[in-house]
Amino acid sequence: MAENSLAPLAGAIPPAKRQRPRFSWLTDRWIAVSFLTPTLLLMLFITVFPLVWSLYLSFTEWSVTRDATTAPEWIGTENYVELLGDSRDGERTWERFVITGQFVVPAVTIELVLGFGVAMLLNRRFAGRGVLMTMLLIPMMLSPVIVALFWKFMMEGSGVLNYFIADILGLSPVGWRTDRDTVIWSLILVDVWMWTPFMMLISLAGLSAVPKYLYEAAAVDRAGAWFRFRHITLPMVMPLLLIAIIFRTMDAYKLFDQAFVLLGQQGGPGRAGQTAALWVYEVAFSEFDTGLGSALGYIMLLVIVALANIFIRTLNNLKAEQF
Amino acid sequence: MSNLKKLLFVFLLVTMLAVPPALTAQEVPDLSIIWFAWPPCDLLSSLVAEYEAANVTVACVPIGEWRNQIFADFAAQGGADIPILDSQFMGEAVAGDFVVDLTEFIQNELPFDDYNQTALSYYAEVPQGSGRYYSVPVITDTRMLVYRRDLYEDADVQAAYLEATGEELAPPASLSQRLAQAQFFAESDVIENGFATHWLNDGDLVQTAWNHILWSFGGELWDPATYSVDGVLNTDVGVRAVEHAQAEFLTAGEGAAAFGFDQVVTAICDGSTAMIEIWFGFGGAFTNSDTCAQADNLGFAVVPGEDVHFISLGGQGISVSRFSENQEAALDFIAWLQSDETQIAWVQGGGFPGRNSILESEEFLSAAPYNPIFAESFQYVKDFWNIPEYAALLSVQGEYLNLAISGQMDAQEALDEIAAEQQEILDEAYPDGPPSS
């Protein structure tokens, strides 16, 4: 019916006036494609291509400076064998991953305990809570390089930390950046100062989401404080805490900027604070062993993927237990 | 979609793609220079403002990142038009074909015969003795001893020193004397610390502070004829040199294992230390009483030797990047920088020239109180590896030297570790022995 009623109208329009719209070729789809294509090409160029190219380089012997005019030489898995075997580089790789573990485990654990504890204290209404929270969050809002720089000054031999330790407390000064047994703890200290607020923030979000009626029910059953914490608070907050742990572990695992500024490329005396990321940097961008550096980068990537998988499985198991 | 939106889209697309010719047209070329952050780099930054034939910018990067930045730029076939390279970087830069051969330029356009031949050979000639030059000496440098002249001239201090050691107190004539004086001052009540230098493992800091101690004790880092380290470095002489540095380190005060340039300058300027050793290039830091509280009390001396006399070579040559699109303009700039007029301005601002006529000029000798001893010091200079494996060798040496000097590792053990690891690096790089040329 409708088609029939419009037919006479269509016929009434003179043929000369039926022009094509000026931008009829510019369809919505065309515009969408033209907007997306540069981004996709850029993504391919700056993300996917380097990933594939560095994977190829990891199977070659090549230096971007020394062999710039020659093609990379294919050597199969030799780089991986060298880095994971008994060679000097193999020993160093193992040592760097141990150092990274010695940093990550205590740092994230302390941040978790402190952050959760502070969140428990802040999880109630009191005057000045907003101001206090804002102040506590300041460290994580700063640039890691700036944070490392001012800790570097404070950790100098005659810096403010040693002033308190030696001049005020009368103890022996600490070689924060000069003693090979201490430098890892210096890294941990800076990281804890900077990232405990992050753990606190996530914990606080988790704590504020725990339904009040659970505590009321527990109070009716005369449950003690520890029981309430162990069987209500902790299980309810745990999924969020685990996400925070995943983020912090992955972030701490690839620690570079703070360590670089605080201890230098070699990670301080005897490389005692040289994390895996600093080691990759030294091999790839100081010694310019590009093939070996690429292989090292992929080993780091595999370790972090494995770690993330373990955490995500644990998280999923927790969720399955809860629901 | 409305026509208005489509028009707007087309307009945005055209705006993004169009490069207005007016913005790209320039009357003079842009030139960029990269060096490391120290007073001569600041001086160069102010000097280039006088150059009108190009817009010249100078990047003064932290010393620990200086080489990495330059070679990462080379790898990307870009970076600064004019890199200022350490002598040890030259082998790597030439092997990679990253810098322009300046032999004809330096011989025809510059006063070739006027250049200090030691500086020219170390900074520019690759391989040494080949007659091919890849840089022009932009700053000659070596190390100087800065001491508290007021203490050395104090009658009570002189008497106390005479009583303690049986010797007259004067700027040290040997490394052993320097150690004895450092220990005397560190144990005395007149000043807190004895001797400080940069023992930090960053860049080549600890290496260049220690190498000439080794050489002056009669030791060697390696045998450049056979590319041997094991058995050359880790000898009794090497151990003596490390133990000497350990003893001097103990007189430097708290945190000396992390002393870089800034901390060394501060150590003498804040009045806490009797003697320091640093590059002449930092000299300007000791003559301004606004920034150095002890400026009026300081004296300058030649760094002493021991069994023989060597001092680590500093200074750098200025090169032209092969990837520069303004190579001609870069050469014109270098010619201007090396002209008599600019060189006089350079030395009056605190720079050290590579040309003998300028080194001997009244303008240079009167420009700073330490300049007269520069010429004497420069005759003792000695340099170390300038092969492509430099960075790997340097890294190994820095790691163990810093540990040993700061007392966290036994001297012999440290030298054995250095020798073993450096030998492995060289053997791997040169399985058929040293290169023929």
Side-chain angles (χ1 to χ4, degrees), chain A residues 23 26 28 30-31 34-35 64-66 68 88 92 156-157 173 177-180 260 265-266 269-271 281-282 285-288, chain B residues 1 3 6-7 9 65 67-68 71-72 75 92 96 98 201 254-255 257-258 263 388 391-392 395 399-400 402-403 408 421 424-425:
Chain A
F23 295 108
L26 199 58
D28 285 0
W30 197 93
I31 290 175
S34 61
F35 269 120
V64 73
T65 56
R66 293 187 290 278
R88 181 175 73 99
R92 289 221 149 146
E156 279 195 4
R177 296 171 52 236
T178 56
D179 183 345
R180 67 197 299 189
F260 187 81
Q265 175 184 297
Q266 289 197 0
R271 298 174 186 266
Y281 176 81
E282 185 176 348
F285 298 108
S286 181
E287 296 180 7
F288 287 103
Chain B
M1 183 178 274
N3 275 354
K6 288 176 178 176
L7 264 172
F9 167 73
E65 276 310 285
R67 178 192 160 275
N68 294 355
F71 281 88
E92 190 176 2
F98 299 136
N201 177 25
E254 196 56 47
Q263 290 80 7
S395 161
E399 176 185 348
Y400 295 109
N402 173 269
L403 280 179
Q408 299 181 70
E421 292 195 18
E424 194 180 327
I425 291 165

Side-chain angles (χ1 to χ4, degrees), chain B residues 34-111:
Chain B
I34 184 168
W35 205 357
F36 73 93
W38 70 322
C41 190
D42 300 331
L43 172 63
L44 185 63
S45 302
S46 59
L47 208 59
V48 298
E50 306 295 320
Y51 187 62
E52 292 172 351
N55 296 317
V56 188
T57 52
V58 184
C60 304
V61 299
I63 188 168
E65 276 310 285
W66 175 37
R67 178 192 160 275
N68 294 355
Q69 174 79 57
I70 289 175
F71 281 88
D73 287 342
F74 282 155
Q77 304 196 352
D81 302 285
I82 304 174
I84 296 181
L85 298 161
D86 224 345
S87 53
Q88 294 89 22
F89 307 168
M90 288 307 296
E92 190 176 2
V94 172
D97 194 19
F98 299 136
V99 287
V100 174
D101 186 339
L102 300 180
T103 309
E104 278 71 39
F105 171 72
I106 200 169
Q107 285 174 343
N108 301 329
E109 308 293 328
L110 300 178

Side-chain angles (χ1 to χ4, degrees), chain A residues 13-93:
Chain A
I13 299 169
K17 300 231 172 186
R18 260 196 273 151
Q19 285 180 337
R20 292 180 65 195
R22 190 177 295 169
F23 295 108
S24 62
W25 55 273
L26 199 58
T27 61
D28 285 0
R29 183 177 174 74
W30 197 93
I31 290 175
V33 169
S34 61
F35 269 120
L36 286 174
T37 306
T39 311
L40 283 173
L41 286 175
L42 196 68
M43 283 278 289
L44 277 172
F45 183 69
I46 65 173
T47 310
V48 180
F49 170 70
L51 208 64
V52 175
W53 179 243
S54 59
L55 180 64
Y56 162 69
L57 287 179
S58 74
F59 294 103
T60 66
E61 183 174 353
W62 192 64
S63 163
V64 73
T65 56
R66 293 187 290 278
D67 308 319
T69 52
T70 57
E73 183 192 345
W74 182 267
I75 54 168
T77 56
E78 265 184 46
N79 284 332
Y80 289 93
V81 171
E82 185 177 343
L83 289 169
L84 300 172
D86 292 334
S87 66
R88 181 175 73 99
D89 285 329
E91 281 174 28
R92 289 221 149 146
T93 305

Side-chain angles (χ1 to χ4, degrees), chain B residues 301-315:
Chain B
V302 176
V303 170
E306 188 70 16
D307 301 330
V308 278
H309 198 171
F310 288 109
I311 310 177
S312 290
L313 175 76

Side-chain angles (χ1 to χ4, degrees), chain B residues 160-422:
Chain B
Y161 184 73
L162 184 64
E163 189 183 331
T165 64
E167 290 182 359
E168 298 286 341
L169 182 61
S174 68
L175 288 169
S176 301
Q177 264 187 20
R178 185 172 79 177
L179 173 60
Q181 292 177 6
Q183 288 171 331
F184 163 77
F185 281 116
E187 288 162 11
S188 74
D189 296 330
V190 295
I191 197 164
E192 200 176 336
N193 303 313
F195 171 81
T197 191
H198 38 78
W199 300 120
L200 174 66
N201 177 25
D202 186 27
D204 61 1
L205 295 188
V206 66
Q207 297 89 336
T208 49
W210 180 76
N211 285 350
H212 60 94
I213 297 177
L214 172 74
W215 293 325
S216 290
F217 274 92
E220 279 297 343
L221 289 173
W222 70 322
D223 181 351
T226 59
Y227 279 33
S228 304
V229 182
D230 205 5
V232 178
L233 173 74
N234 47 339
T235 59
D236 291 345
V237 176
V239 171
R240 269 182 67 208
V242 173
E243 287 173 349
H244 175 89
Q246 283 174 339
E248 286 192 328
F249 168 85
L250 291 175
T251 72
E254 196 56 47
F259 274 16
F261 295 139
D262 292 347
Q263 290 80 7
V264 175
V265 171
T266 303
I268 193 96
C269 283
D270 70 4
S272 64
T273 306
M275 278 182 290
I276 63 153
E277 186 194 297
I278 200 165
W279 300 106
F280 273 91
F282 284 90
F286 308 115
T287 52
N288 184 350
S289 53
D290 291 338
T291 53
C292 181
Q294 299 295 330
D296 296 335
N297 297 326
L298 300 181
F300 305 94
V302 176
V303 170
E306 188 70 16
D307 301 330
V308 278
H309 198 171
F310 288 109
I311 310 177
S312 290
L313 175 76
Q316 290 86 34
I318 190 165
S319 299
V320 176
S321 167
R322 193 171 67 80
F323 308 109
S324 168
E325 291 175 356
N326 295 311
Q327 291 183 3
E328 283 301 318
L331 292 176
D332 289 343
F333 170 77
I334 293 174
W336 171 82
L337 188 65
Q338 294 295 316
S339 66
D340 289 356
E341 261 183 34
T342 317
Q343 283 295 293
I344 294 298
W346 176 245
V347 299
Q348 285 174 338
F352 294 88
R355 289 173 48 193
N356 288 326
S357 61
I358 309 290
L359 276 167
E360 292 158 5
S361 70
E362 186 52 39
E363 285 92 342
F364 172 71
L365 294 172
S366 60
Y370 41 80
N371 281 5
I373 60 163
F374 178 80
E376 186 188 344
S377 300
F378 204 74
Q379 61 183 313
Y380 301 119
V381 295
K382 181 167 174 166
D383 204 5
F384 58 124
W385 335 289
N386 64 354
I387 56 175
E389 290 69 33
Y390 160 76
L393 299 173
L394 190 80
S395 161
V396 169
Q397 194 195 4
E399 176 185 348
Y400 295 109
L401 261 188
N402 173 269
L403 280 179
I405 292 171
S406 61
Q408 299 181 70
M409 194 174 199
D410 175 67
Q412 183 69 58
E413 189 190 351
L415 292 179
D416 287 343
E417 289 285 351
I418 295 169
E421 292 195 18
Q422 288 186 339

Side-chain angles (χ1 to χ4, degrees), chain A residues 33 83 106 128 159 164 182 235 245 261 270 286 289 299 316:
Chain A
V33 169
L83 289 169
F164 278 109
T182 308
I245 293 170
V261 173
S286 181
D289 278 336
I299 291 171
N316 287 338

